[in-house]
Amino acid sequence: MLTSTKSLIAYNKKNLDDKTLLSLYKNMLKPRMIEEKMLILLRQGKISKWFSGIGQEAISVGVTMALDKEEYILPMHRNLGVFTTREIPLYRLFSQWQGKANGFTKGRDRSFHFGTQEFNLVGMISHLGPQLGVADGIALASVLKNKQQVTAVFTGEGGTSEGDFHEALNVASVWQLPVLFCVENNGYGLSTPTSEQYNCKDIADRGKGYGMESFILDGNNILEVYAKIKKLADSVRKRPRPILIEFKTFRMRGHEEASGTKYVPKKLMNDWAKKDPVDNFRAYLMELGLLTEKDDTTFRETILNEINEHLQLAYNEDAIVPNVETELNDIYSDFQYKESTPSAKTEELRFIDAISQGLKQSMEKHNDLVIMGQDVAEYGGVFKITEGFVDAFGKERVRNTPICESAIVEAAMGLSIAGMKAVMEMQFADFATSGFNPIVNYLAKSHYRWSQQADVVIRMPCGGGVAAGPFHSQTNEAWFTKTPGLKVVYPAFPYDAKGLLATAIEEPNPVLFFEHKALYRSIRQEVPVNYFTIPLGKAALLKEGTDVTIITYGAGVHWALETLEKNPNINADLIDLRSLQPIDTEAIYASVKKTGRAIILQEDSLFGGIASDISSLIMENCFEQLDAPVKRVASMETPIPFIGQLEEQYMAKGRFEEALVALLNY
């Protein structure tokens, strides 16, 4: 606390009334006192970790008070003041930090890694950057619904070095989204000073490059923060656009408590201590005669009583009892499949046409569905699947994106948080690497962590046989089938593609929908003309036999059919998995127990592919019925080559018949 009773920060209250001034003070005082208590509990081993925001309260409180309660905020580690100003009951915060059930993550994630729709807060993940793009998606929903709301998202100066920062700001600017990008420049990213983090004078300088307004604010001056943010928010509601705001402040404690602050020069620490936002504002209010020592004591006693009372509530709460069923059930949002039956009227469609028709009918059915991707609008996508969609649904719902897979996956997640649906076209499945983090760490984990559905479908044009080389031909489903929280669909026929896509879009969970490019224009089938659905997780038995079970999906289905046509003497069950996650183990086991032999065909290279897991499942569950070892057939252990003769050599197709005959002769 300041030894002087005079404020060292120059405040200007302008036209703010006394009630607002006192509210600003009390809202800063509350997180400060909670933090001081938490530091004690940390030393006592009653909480596991703490990321301190002491010295930065003016930013959290000022921004939160300047926004309406219905407007979303995406805070970070050091934004306790956001949560308390939104008036979350303290016992719920304390339960969260102690891993109790009344917290927001059921003990599955710690500290501030949570969100709550009740208070319109969206929690961070440790990778920092993804929440910036999520804010874009929430803001986009606001624009599409004409809600005239602002979204505020926080990051630190360290987070601005991530690619997500660039992508999110670029998208927000191109689409003119109402996002306040709030950068808390507190001097250090863990121990890395700003001089080693970026090489421009101020982070706000970057705003010019994105074509957006930017401002630098004294992050320790609560009146400057509150007044400016309130003014900007009012303006952005009327004229949607993104704004970059850099708050100059300082981190008075370690990145987290265990890391300490020995790397910070003592003089620098002392200089910033004199700029303490709580102590200076307290002194200012006393100078104005709005606050007395007695008032301040009363405020502190009231807050302390609330802290102690709510701590006791959290202490008295029973510890979480592990329950396997509960854990597994919470990976996905509940979805009650309702069948939409196919019509008797059909038309012959190519694989690609069935996807296009299914997507169009889903757009007609779901008014809140948005399609996003590179070149998907007027151009119709590189495969022309969305050709004509702009004329039918408009550019607001069929949106070209910059080349920024990560930010668009994140924006899709933001749309889901705001109650909408999103289909993102990953122009080629290979490019998912550029959006990998938000797929496997944000989409996949959100429902498990804090019960937030990710109503997102990512279309994944994939596969070889089209001479496209190592970066446009991969079939990379195994990267995702092993990630809990994702669903993976991989149809082989037009009928299945249309019905499964409709279900994937209805699903409130993240679905990666693989579309084999070589099948797009080579496979035709009679397909119902109406909107219809097919349940995920149900395989199709294409042929029945007693000699062997062939298990495959995608292009492998057609390779297997060709092989069986060439070998009419082979009497086989042929299972088209259609869905890889969830997978129809019941169909697999029933067939293998009948035939006694199993061969699994995949286009992906062998090691670590889904065939390995299916093989293990069969060995564990059907061992006594097997008459031969389970056989896996896959492509070569190399990247997929470009030139035709090398690609043909690479593919599993050329090795399947020999392996099948060998298995039958075992």
Side-chain angles (χ1 to χ4, degrees), residues 224-285:
E224 182 175 327
V225 172
Y226 173 73
K228 187 64 174 179
I229 297 300
K230 188 169 181 58
K231 182 178 179 181
L232 292 175
D234 287 341
S235 174
V236 168
R237 292 185 193 106
K238 296 171 186 172
R239 181 168 66 89
R241 65 196 189 280
I243 296 177
L244 175 61
I245 305 143
E246 180 181 2
F247 298 95
K248 299 288 190 180
T249 185
F250 198 73
R251 202 187 68 215
M252 297 303 296
R253 302 192 69 85
H255 168 71
E256 42 81 30
E257 287 305 305
S259 63
T261 57
K262 289 183 178 178
Y263 47 84
V264 181
K266 190 173 182 179
K267 183 181 185 304
L268 187 61
M269 188 72 80
N270 291 339
D271 288 345
W272 276 99
K274 296 173 184 175
K275 301 175 185 178
D276 185 285
V278 178
D279 292 345
N280 275 282
F281 197 55
R282 174 181 179 273
Y284 174 69
L285 294 180

Side-chain angles (χ1 to χ4, degrees), residues 335 355-371 389 397 420-424 453-459 489 497-511 513 531 533-534 536:
F335 172 58
I355 293 171
S356 179
Q357 188 180 95
L359 187 57
K360 186 174 184 179
Q361 290 176 354
S362 288
M363 287 286 281
E364 293 166 348
K365 179 180 175 66
H366 305 287
N367 292 326
D368 59 351
L369 174 61
V370 176
I371 296 173
F389 277 39
R397 292 183 63 201
M420 299 187 71
K421 289 178 174 288
V423 170
M424 177 200 174
Q453 67 187 36
D455 201 341
V456 177
V457 174
I458 301 178
R459 292 184 40 242
V489 177
K498 181 177 175 180
L500 289 168
L501 180 59
T503 305
I505 291 170
E506 287 192 5
E507 269 265 2
N509 296 293
V511 180
F513 193 87
Y531 177 93
T533 58
I534 297 173
L536 306 191

Side-chain angles (χ1 to χ4, degrees), residues 297-517:
T297 299
T298 300
F299 292 160
R300 291 171 183 269
E301 287 176 350
T302 301
I303 293 171
L304 185 58
N305 288 337
E306 183 184 3
I307 291 171
N308 289 333
E309 177 187 343
H310 283 249
L311 270 175
Q312 196 58 50
L313 288 173
Y315 289 149
N316 292 341
E317 187 182 345
D318 292 336
I320 287 176
V321 178
N323 182 288
V324 171
E325 187 176 345
T326 299
E327 291 296 288
L328 293 175
N329 286 344
D330 280 355
I331 294 171
Y332 298 109
S333 177
D334 185 49
F335 172 58
Q336 299 299 322
Y337 171 75
K338 293 180 181 178
E339 183 178 9
S340 295
T341 55
S343 63
K345 183 180 179 181
T346 64
E347 61 180 319
E348 186 179 78
L349 294 179
R350 298 175 300 175
F351 191 87
I352 194 168
D353 301 324
I355 293 171
S356 179
Q357 188 180 95
L359 187 57
K360 186 174 184 179
Q361 290 176 354
S362 288
M363 287 286 281
E364 293 166 348
K365 179 180 175 66
H366 305 287
N367 292 326
D368 59 351
L369 174 61
V370 176
I371 296 173
M372 299 184 291
Q374 295 159 29
D375 308 299
V376 299
E378 291 86 353
Y379 189 70
V382 293
F383 300 105
K384 302 303 179 183
I385 284 176
T386 53
E387 192 168 32
F389 277 39
V390 168
D391 293 336
F393 306 108
K395 288 205 69 169
E396 286 193 328
R397 292 183 63 201
V398 185
R399 307 185 72 89
N400 278 338
T401 72
I403 300 176
C404 54
E405 287 79 7
S406 190
I408 302 307
V409 173
E410 294 155 14
M413 181 69 209
L415 285 171
S416 179
I417 288 170
M420 299 187 71
K421 289 178 174 288
V423 170
M424 177 200 174
E425 179 181 297
M426 193 69 69
Q427 196 168 76
F428 292 88
D430 314 65
F431 299 169
T433 49
S434 293
F436 195 74
N437 178 36
I439 294 173
V440 301
N441 283 316
Y442 212 118
L443 299 186
K445 294 180 171 67
S446 287
H447 192 267
Y448 176 75
R449 289 173 55 239
W450 59 283
S451 301
Q452 172 58 54
Q453 67 187 36
D455 201 341
V456 177
V457 174
I458 301 178
R459 292 184 40 242
M460 301 278 281
C462 66
V466 293
F471 303 119
H472 295 79
S473 306
Q474 295 174 88
T475 175
N476 47 12
E477 65 279 357
W479 297 353
F480 307 103
T481 51
K482 64 101 49 217
T483 302
L486 299 176
K487 296 193 175 186
V488 180
V489 177
Y490 205 141
F493 294 98
Y495 181 99
D496 292 338
K498 181 177 175 180
L500 289 168
L501 180 59
T503 305
I505 291 170
E506 287 192 5
E507 269 265 2
N509 296 293
V511 180
L512 282 89
F513 193 87
F514 282 82
E515 306 165 7
H516 201 291
K517 304 189 303 297

Side-chain angles (χ1 to χ4, degrees), residues 53-84:
I54 288 177
Q56 299 180 204
E57 293 89 351
I59 304 170
S60 299
V61 171
V63 170
T64 307
M65 285 186 65
L67 266 58
D68 297 335
K69 288 189 175 182
E70 295 75 27
E71 293 176 318
Y72 280 93
I73 301 177
L74 293 86
M76 290 269 287
H77 294 97
R78 294 174 227 293
N79 297 122
L80 173 58
V82 172
F83 297 90
T84 54

Side-chain angles (χ1 to χ4, degrees), residues 505-578:
I505 291 170
E506 287 192 5
E507 269 265 2
N509 296 293
V511 180
L512 282 89
F513 193 87
F514 282 82
E515 306 165 7
H516 201 291
K517 304 189 303 297
L519 304 182
Y520 271 158
R521 293 174 171 83
S522 65
I523 302 299
R524 295 173 177 267
Q525 190 181 33
E526 289 293 321
V527 179
V529 298
N530 70 322
Y531 177 93
F532 68 95
T533 58
I534 297 173
L536 306 191
K538 295 293 182 182
L541 184 60
L542 302 182
K543 286 184 175 292
E544 292 191 57
T546 56
D547 295 343
V548 64
T549 298
I550 302 170
I551 304 162
T552 187
Y553 56 94
V557 173
H558 301 282
W559 301 344
L561 286 169
E562 288 178 27
T563 300
L564 292 176
E565 286 175 12
K566 285 173 57 181
N567 296 272
N569 58 312
I570 297 177
N571 194 344
D573 264 8
L574 174 57
I575 295 176
D576 174 6
L577 291 171
R578 302 195 295 187

